[in-house]
Amino acid sequence: MSKPLVIIGAGGHAKVLMDILSRQGRKVIAYAAPEQATYNTMFTQLSWLRRDKEILKYSTDEIQLVNAIGSMPYQLLRSKLFDMFKQHGYEFASIVCESALISPSVKLGEGVQILSRAVINADTTIAANCIINTGTIIEHDCQIGRHNHCAPSATLCGGVTTADFVHVGTGANIIEQLSIGEGSIIGAGTTITQHVEKNTIVYSAKNHLKKRE
Amino acid sequence: MSKPLVIIGAGGHAKVLMDILSRQGRKVIAYAAPEQATYNTMFTQLSWLRRDKEILKYSTDEIQLVNAIGSMPYQLLRSKLFDMFKQHGYEFASIVCESALISPSVKLGEGVQILSRAVINADTTIAANCIINTGTIIEHDCQIGRHNHCAPSATLCGGVTTADFVHVGTGANIIEQLSIGEGSIIGAGTTITQHVEKNTIVYSAKNHLKKRE
Amino acid sequence: MSKPLVIIGAGGHAKVLMDILSRQGRKVIAYAAPEQATYNTMFTQLSWLRRDKEILKYSTDEIQLVNAIGSMPYQLLRSKLFDMFKQHGYEFASIVCESALISPSVKLGEGVQILSRAVINADTTIAANCIINTGTIIEHDCQIGRHNHCAPSATLCGGVTTADFVHVGTGANIIEQLSIGEGSIIGAGTTITQHVEKNTIVYSAKNHLKKRE
């Protein structure tokens, strides 16, 4: 029923997605990456497209795309690829790991990726091209904007709203009812207890080091 | 076998509980809330009780109650309702999400709610009316007092003891063998490495903000 | 097919392991501990070996060992026992909780223990005698050294490398591509954003306390 997939990227995030797709028995036929992924048997069985534009040889009806570019702070490649291929008429597959727990009332935009053990509770909405990474918890009544990345083990409490292009770092926490402005970056391990304006970087106190005796 | 349920509250925590009850095929017949929950199809199929006291029209044999008042710091409504309806002779249902992992040696008090993906390890005891929220981990040999809320992604290491009315915030960590006094609040994202006396609020260092260039 | 097990230790970590072994139907025949574990029915059914050296009465072909000594910072008992019994020719059983999610490309060393709800993603390697504790997430392409303990709810992002004898505390986070030197201790709740040299203790800012009014 579902179309064969072409995956864009062959790095770490791509490998994690391939594990999920493989468990789900979904058919991946090709990957696009500047270097051939010779190190990983998951990729060596696929056709290699050296340039993203080679994807255009597939008709938009024939395949769905998987955006396997990892999303790091300050980096827009992932959203640019999404927008470019949407303009060409392609559809992005949503990937929901079978170990994720998602309320029936949750709404997921196009191309959303929900990885292992994520939990998304009632009446939350996740807009297009988001990564909800391993073990992330998004509570009830949240509104997550487009092109967000909630990194592994992030926790968003009930009623949190994020605009587009927000990065919530690994293990970060956002308490109830707060909003995070467009393009803001919540540092790894940071706990947010106030609204965050757009284009703001929030990070927590420095660590202390000492030598073991 | 189990009695029909009447749920007190219709907010975010109530929705999360209703998702679990619905998956478990448990019968909920009514909800009590000051405003009618018209926004959510989970509630529109139930009888609406405008005031908590309307619950008294059900006999104590006929139903069990679900305490769906969320537990926030400084807020006692949840425990007051529990005590009041206990005095009237009602029983509160325990709710254990099927995705939670609980050692057979764990003891749960009346009305305890264990939400998605919580883990509770060997020889831990959870007293009455606690919420162990999404993704919370409580290790072996812990003693959790009455009316506690362990918010999402909190982690309590082995042998932790909490008194009554303790709030452990989202993503907070408590290391081994510590005790937390009655009525204390562990701030979201805070890591506890020393005993905490009663009625103490513990929070961690402030965040730093900068603008993205 | 698998050999009967003798478990070294009868404390909290041993109880957590016994829960997993019991769910998996694995046969444990004896435990070694200085005091008899009378408090726990999981242990009272087993033969009690008062001293570790009594294990030597079993032939190395006959049994496998389970290292149930918990791993705390500054404590080497766990690794010493492992090395001593390896020198005697014994084999340590690996224990992988059925609720853990582990990529098929992950490689696990001898005696590795993966507890409830841990997630280990593609192309990660975990060396011998590590504990990957409850709810810990280890992302793709990590290299975890021997005798590491990743405490509950720790999160290691993609491409992290740890040397031997590293302790990653409860709820700690390590961001992408970092390396942690031999014998270093990452404090509970600490977020690591830079490489950590060997024998270094890293901890985060102190908490603030105030009294509730």
Coordinates of all heavy atoms in Angstrom, one line a residue, chain B residues 74 99 101 103-104 117-119 121-123 137 139-141 155 157 173 175-176 183 190-191 197-205, chain C residues 12-13 15-16 19 23 39-40 42 72 97 99 116-117 133-135 152-153 170-171 188-190 205-212:
Chain B
Y74 N 2.2 23.9 45.4 CA 1.4 24.8 46.2 C -0.1 24.6 46.1 O -0.9 25.4 46.6 CB 1.7 26.3 45.7 CG 3.1 26.7 45.8 CD1 3.8 26.8 44.6 CD2 3.7 27.1 47.0 CE1 5.2 27.2 44.6 CE2 5.0 27.5 47.0 CZ 5.7 27.5 45.9 OH 7.0 27.9 45.9
S99 N 1.7 0.3 29.6 CA 3.1 0.5 29.2 C 4.1 0.7 30.3 O 5.3 0.9 30.1 CB 3.2 1.7 28.2 OG 3.0 2.9 28.9
L101 N 6.2 -0.3 33.6 CA 6.9 -1.6 34.0 C 7.1 -1.5 35.5 O 7.8 -0.7 36.1 CB 8.3 -1.6 33.4 CG 8.5 -2.4 32.2 CD1 9.9 -2.4 31.7 CD2 8.1 -3.9 32.4
S103 N 7.8 -3.8 39.1 CA 8.2 -5.0 39.7 C 7.1 -5.7 40.5 O 6.3 -5.0 41.1 CB 9.4 -4.8 40.6 OG 9.6 -5.9 41.5
P104 N 7.0 -7.0 40.4 CA 5.9 -7.7 41.2 C 6.0 -7.4 42.7 O 5.0 -7.5 43.4 CB 6.2 -9.2 41.0 CG 7.1 -9.3 39.8 CD 7.8 -7.9 39.7
R117 N 4.9 4.6 30.4 CA 6.3 4.4 30.4 C 7.0 4.6 31.7 O 8.3 4.6 31.7 CB 7.0 5.3 29.3 CG 6.7 4.8 27.9 CD 7.6 3.6 27.5 NE 6.9 2.9 26.4 CZ 6.8 3.3 25.2 NH1 7.3 4.5 24.9 NH2 6.2 2.6 24.3
A118 N 6.3 4.8 32.8 CA 6.9 4.8 34.1 C 7.5 3.4 34.4 O 7.1 2.4 33.9 CB 5.9 5.2 35.1
V119 N 8.6 3.5 35.1 CA 9.3 2.2 35.6 C 9.4 2.3 37.1 O 9.8 3.3 37.7 CB 10.7 2.0 35.0 CG1 11.3 0.7 35.5 CG2 10.6 2.0 33.5
N121 N 10.9 -0.1 40.2 CA 11.7 -1.3 40.5 C 11.4 -1.9 41.9 O 10.6 -1.4 42.7 CB 13.1 -1.0 40.2 CG 13.4 -1.2 38.7 OD1 12.7 -1.9 38.0 ND2 14.5 -0.5 38.2
A122 N 12.1 -3.0 42.1 CA 11.8 -3.9 43.2 C 11.7 -3.3 44.6 O 12.5 -2.4 44.9 CB 12.9 -5.0 43.3
D123 N 10.7 -3.7 45.3 CA 10.5 -3.4 46.7 C 10.3 -1.9 47.0 O 10.5 -1.4 48.1 CB 11.7 -3.9 47.6 CG 11.7 -5.4 47.7 OD1 10.6 -6.0 47.6 OD2 12.8 -6.0 48.0
I137 N 11.0 7.4 36.4 CA 11.7 6.1 36.9 C 11.8 6.2 38.4 O 12.4 7.2 38.9 CB 13.0 6.0 36.2 CG1 12.8 5.7 34.7 CG2 13.8 4.8 36.8 CD1 14.1 5.7 33.9
E139 N 13.5 3.8 41.2 CA 14.3 2.6 41.3 C 13.9 1.8 42.6 O 12.9 2.1 43.3 CB 15.8 3.1 41.4 CG 16.4 3.3 40.0 CD 16.5 2.0 39.2 OE1 16.4 0.9 39.8 OE2 16.6 2.1 38.0
H140 N 14.6 0.8 42.8 CA 14.4 -0.2 43.9 C 14.4 0.4 45.3 O 15.1 1.4 45.5 CB 15.4 -1.3 43.8 CG 16.8 -0.8 43.9 ND1 17.4 -0.6 45.1 CD2 17.7 -0.5 42.9 CE1 18.7 -0.1 44.9 NE2 18.9 -0.1 43.6
D141 N 13.6 -0.1 46.1 CA 13.7 0.2 47.6 C 13.3 1.6 47.9 O 13.8 2.2 48.9 CB 15.1 -0.2 48.1 CG 15.4 -1.6 48.0 OD1 14.7 -2.5 48.6 OD2 16.4 -1.9 47.2
T155 N 13.5 11.1 37.9 CA 14.2 9.9 38.2 C 14.6 9.8 39.7 O 15.3 10.7 40.1 CB 15.5 9.8 37.3 OG1 15.1 9.9 35.9 CG2 16.2 8.4 37.5
C157 N 16.6 7.5 42.3 CA 17.5 6.4 42.4 C 17.0 5.5 43.6 O 16.1 5.7 44.3 CB 18.9 6.9 42.6 SG 19.5 7.7 41.2
N173 N 16.1 14.8 39.3 CA 16.8 13.6 39.6 C 17.1 13.6 41.1 O 17.5 14.6 41.7 CB 18.2 13.5 38.9 CG 18.1 13.6 37.4 OD1 17.4 12.8 36.8 ND2 18.7 14.7 36.9
I175 N 19.4 11.4 43.9 CA 20.3 10.3 43.9 C 20.0 9.3 45.1 O 19.1 9.6 45.9 CB 21.8 10.7 43.8 CG1 22.2 11.4 45.1 CG2 22.0 11.6 42.6 CD1 23.8 11.5 45.1
E176 N 20.8 8.3 45.2 CA 20.5 7.2 46.1 C 20.4 7.6 47.6 O 21.1 8.4 48.1 CB 21.7 6.2 46.0 CG 21.8 5.4 44.8 CD 22.6 6.2 43.7 OE1 23.0 7.3 44.0 OE2 22.7 5.6 42.6
G183 N 6.0 18.1 52.2 CA 5.6 19.3 51.6 C 6.7 20.0 50.8 O 6.6 21.1 50.3
T190 N 16.0 19.8 38.5 CA 16.9 20.0 39.6 C 17.4 18.6 40.0 O 16.7 17.6 40.1 CB 16.2 20.6 40.8 OG1 15.7 21.9 40.4 CG2 17.2 20.8 42.0
T191 N 18.7 18.5 40.3 CA 19.3 17.2 40.8 C 19.6 17.3 42.3 O 20.3 18.2 42.7 CB 20.6 16.9 40.0 OG1 20.2 16.7 38.6 CG2 21.3 15.7 40.5
E197 N 15.0 18.9 53.8 CA 14.1 19.0 55.0 C 12.7 19.4 54.5 O 12.5 19.7 53.4 CB 14.6 20.1 55.9 CG 15.9 19.7 56.5 CD 16.4 20.6 57.7 OE1 15.6 21.5 58.0 OE2 17.4 20.4 58.2
K198 N 11.8 19.3 55.5 CA 10.4 19.6 55.1 C 10.1 21.0 54.7 O 10.9 21.9 55.0 CB 9.5 19.1 56.2 CG 9.5 20.0 57.5 CD 8.5 19.5 58.5 CE 8.6 20.4 59.7 NZ 7.6 20.0 60.8
N199 N 9.1 21.2 53.9 CA 8.7 22.5 53.4 C 9.8 23.3 52.8 O 9.9 24.5 52.9 CB 8.0 23.3 54.6 CG 6.7 22.7 55.0 OD1 6.0 22.2 54.2 ND2 6.5 22.6 56.3
T200 N 10.6 22.6 52.0 CA 11.8 23.3 51.4 C 11.5 23.3 49.9 O 11.0 22.3 49.3 CB 13.1 22.5 51.7 OG1 13.2 22.4 53.1 CG2 14.3 23.3 51.1
I201 N 11.9 24.4 49.2 CA 11.8 24.5 47.8 C 13.3 24.4 47.3 O 14.1 25.2 47.7 CB 11.2 25.8 47.3 CG1 9.7 25.8 47.9 CG2 11.2 25.9 45.8 CD1 9.1 27.2 47.8
V202 N 13.6 23.5 46.4 CA 14.9 23.4 45.9 C 14.9 23.7 44.4 O 14.1 23.1 43.7 CB 15.5 22.0 46.1 CG1 17.0 22.0 45.8 CG2 15.3 21.5 47.5
Y203 N 15.7 24.6 43.9 CA 15.7 24.9 42.5 C 17.2 25.1 42.1 O 18.0 25.4 42.9 CB 14.8 26.0 42.1 CG 15.2 27.3 42.9 CD1 15.9 28.3 42.3 CD2 14.7 27.5 44.2 CE1 16.2 29.5 42.9 CE2 15.1 28.7 44.8 CZ 15.8 29.6 44.2 OH 16.1 30.8 44.9
S204 N 17.5 25.0 40.8 CA 18.8 25.0 40.4 C 19.1 26.4 39.8 O 18.3 27.3 39.7 CB 19.1 23.9 39.4 OG 18.1 23.7 38.5
A205 N 20.4 26.6 39.3 CA 20.9 27.9 38.9 C 20.1 28.4 37.7 O 19.5 27.7 37.0 CB 22.3 27.7 38.5
Chain C
G12 N 20.3 -4.0 46.1 CA 19.3 -3.4 45.2 C 19.5 -3.7 43.7 O 18.5 -4.1 43.0
H13 N 20.7 -3.6 43.2 CA 21.0 -4.0 41.8 C 20.7 -5.4 41.6 O 20.1 -5.8 40.5 CB 22.4 -3.6 41.5 CG 22.7 -3.8 40.0 ND1 22.1 -3.2 39.0 CD2 23.6 -4.6 39.4 CE1 22.5 -3.5 37.8 NE2 23.5 -4.4 38.0
K15 N 18.4 -7.2 43.1 CA 17.0 -7.4 43.0 C 16.4 -7.0 41.6 O 15.5 -7.7 41.1 CB 16.3 -6.6 44.0 CG 16.5 -7.0 45.5 CD 15.5 -6.3 46.4 CE 16.2 -5.5 47.4 NZ 15.2 -4.7 48.2
V16 N 16.9 -5.9 41.1 CA 16.5 -5.5 39.8 C 16.8 -6.5 38.7 O 16.0 -6.9 37.9 CB 17.1 -4.1 39.4 CG1 16.7 -3.7 38.0 CG2 16.6 -3.1 40.4
D19 N 14.5 -9.6 39.0 CA 13.2 -9.4 38.4 C 13.2 -9.7 36.9 O 12.3 -10.3 36.3 CB 12.7 -7.9 38.6 CG 11.9 -7.7 39.8 OD1 11.4 -8.7 40.4 OD2 11.7 -6.6 40.2
R23 N 11.4 -12.9 34.9 CA 10.5 -12.7 33.8 C 10.9 -13.5 32.6 O 10.1 -13.9 31.8 CB 10.4 -11.2 33.4 CG 9.5 -10.3 34.1 CD 9.1 -9.1 33.4 NE 10.2 -8.2 33.0 CZ 10.7 -7.2 33.7 NH1 10.1 -6.9 34.8 NH2 11.6 -6.5 33.2
Y39 N 15.3 -11.1 53.6 CA 14.2 -10.2 53.4 C 13.4 -10.3 52.1 O 12.4 -9.7 51.8 CB 14.7 -8.8 53.5 CG 15.9 -8.5 52.6 CD1 15.6 -8.1 51.3 CD2 17.2 -8.8 53.0 CE1 16.7 -7.9 50.4 CE2 18.2 -8.6 52.1 CZ 18.0 -8.2 50.9 OH 19.0 -8.0 50.0
N40 N 14.0 -11.1 51.2 CA 13.4 -11.1 49.8 C 13.2 -12.5 49.3 O 14.1 -13.3 49.2 CB 14.4 -10.3 48.9 CG 13.7 -9.9 47.6 OD1 13.2 -10.8 46.9 ND2 13.7 -8.6 47.4
M42 N 12.8 -13.6 46.5 CA 13.5 -13.9 45.3 C 14.8 -14.7 45.7 O 15.3 -15.5 44.9 CB 13.9 -12.7 44.5 CG 12.7 -12.1 43.8 SD 13.2 -10.8 42.6 CE 13.8 -9.5 43.8
M72 N 29.1 2.1 41.8 CA 29.0 3.5 42.3 C 30.3 4.2 41.9 O 31.3 3.5 41.8 CB 28.8 3.5 43.8 CG 27.6 2.8 44.3 SD 26.1 3.6 43.8 CE 26.1 5.0 45.0
C97 N 17.2 -6.7 29.3 CA 15.8 -6.7 29.6 C 15.0 -6.7 28.3 O 15.3 -6.0 27.3 CB 15.4 -5.5 30.4 SG 13.7 -5.4 30.9
S99 N 12.4 -5.3 27.6 CA 11.8 -4.0 27.3 C 12.8 -3.0 26.8 O 12.5 -1.9 26.4 CB 11.2 -3.4 28.6 OG 12.2 -3.0 29.5
S116 N 15.7 -2.1 32.2 CA 14.4 -1.8 31.6 C 14.4 -0.5 30.8 O 15.0 0.5 31.2 CB 13.4 -1.6 32.7 OG 13.3 -2.7 33.5
R117 N 13.8 -0.6 29.6 CA 13.6 0.6 28.8 C 14.8 1.3 28.3 O 14.7 2.4 27.8 CB 12.7 1.6 29.6 CG 11.3 1.2 29.8 CD 10.5 1.4 28.6 NE 9.3 0.5 28.6 CZ 8.3 0.6 29.4 NH1 8.3 1.5 30.3 NH2 7.3 -0.2 29.4
N133 N 21.8 1.3 32.6 CA 20.7 1.2 33.6 C 19.3 1.7 33.1 O 19.2 2.1 31.9 CB 21.1 2.1 34.9 CG 20.7 1.3 36.2 OD1 19.6 0.8 36.3 ND2 21.6 1.3 37.1
T134 N 18.3 1.6 33.9 CA 16.9 1.8 33.6 C 16.8 3.2 32.8 O 17.2 4.2 33.2 CB 16.1 1.9 34.8 OG1 16.4 0.8 35.7 CG2 14.6 1.9 34.5
G135 N 16.2 3.1 31.6 CA 15.8 4.2 30.9 C 16.9 5.0 30.2 O 16.7 6.1 29.7
P152 N 20.6 5.5 35.7 CA 19.2 5.6 35.2 C 19.0 7.0 34.5 O 19.5 8.0 35.0 CB 18.3 5.4 36.4 CG 19.1 4.5 37.3 CD 20.5 4.9 37.1
S153 N 18.3 7.0 33.4 CA 17.9 8.2 32.6 C 19.1 9.0 32.1 O 18.9 10.1 31.6 CB 17.1 9.1 33.5 OG 15.9 8.5 34.0
T170 N 23.1 9.6 37.1 CA 21.6 9.6 36.8 C 21.2 10.9 36.1 O 21.5 12.0 36.6 CB 20.9 9.5 38.2 OG1 21.3 8.3 38.8 CG2 19.4 9.6 38.0
G171 N 20.5 10.8 35.0 CA 20.0 11.9 34.3 C 21.0 12.8 33.7 O 20.6 13.9 33.2
A188 N 25.5 13.3 38.6 CA 24.1 13.2 38.3 C 23.5 14.5 37.8 O 23.9 15.6 38.3 CB 23.3 12.7 39.5
G189 N 22.7 14.5 36.7 CA 22.1 15.7 36.2 C 23.0 16.6 35.5 O 22.6 17.7 35.1
T190 N 24.2 16.3 35.2 CA 25.2 17.2 34.6 C 25.1 17.0 33.1 O 25.0 15.8 32.6 CB 26.6 16.8 35.1 OG1 26.6 17.0 36.5 CG2 27.6 17.8 34.5
A205 N 26.3 23.2 38.8 CA 26.1 24.3 39.8 C 25.3 23.8 41.0 O 24.5 22.9 40.9 CB 25.5 25.5 39.2
K206 N 25.6 24.4 42.1 CA 24.8 24.1 43.3 C 23.4 24.5 43.2 O 23.0 25.4 42.5 CB 25.5 24.8 44.5 CG 26.9 24.3 44.9 CD 26.9 23.9 46.4 CE 28.2 23.4 46.8 NZ 29.0 22.6 45.8
N207 N 22.6 23.8 44.0 CA 21.1 24.2 44.1 C 20.9 25.3 45.1 O 21.8 25.6 45.9 CB 20.3 23.0 44.6 CG 20.3 21.9 43.6 OD1 20.3 22.1 42.4 ND2 20.2 20.6 44.0
H208 N 19.8 25.9 45.0 CA 19.3 27.0 45.9 C 18.2 26.4 46.7 O 17.4 25.7 46.2 CB 18.9 28.2 45.1 CG 19.9 28.7 44.2 ND1 21.0 29.6 44.6 CD2 20.2 28.5 42.9 CE1 21.8 29.8 43.6 NE2 21.3 29.2 42.6
L209 N 18.1 26.8 47.9 CA 17.0 26.3 48.8 C 16.3 27.5 49.3 O 16.9 28.6 49.6 CB 17.6 25.6 50.0 CG 18.5 24.4 49.8 CD1 18.9 23.8 51.2 CD2 17.9 23.4 48.9
K210 N 15.0 27.4 49.5 CA 14.3 28.4 50.3 C 13.1 27.7 51.0 O 12.7 26.6 50.6 CB 13.8 29.6 49.4 CG 12.8 29.3 48.3 CD 12.3 30.5 47.6 CE 11.4 30.2 46.5 NZ 10.9 31.4 45.7
K211 N 12.7 28.3 52.1 CA 11.6 27.7 52.8 C 10.2 28.1 52.2 O 10.0 29.2 51.7 CB 11.6 28.2 54.3 CG 12.6 27.4 55.2 CD 12.0 26.0 55.4 CE 13.1 25.1 56.0 NZ 12.7 23.7 55.8
R212 N 9.3 27.1 52.2 CA 7.9 27.5 51.8 C 7.3 28.4 52.8 O 7.5 28.1 54.0 CB 7.1 26.2 51.7 CG 7.4 25.4 50.5 CD 6.5 24.2 50.3 NE 5.1 24.7 50.1 CZ 4.1 23.8 49.8 NH1 4.4 22.5 49.7 NH2 3.0 24.3 49.6

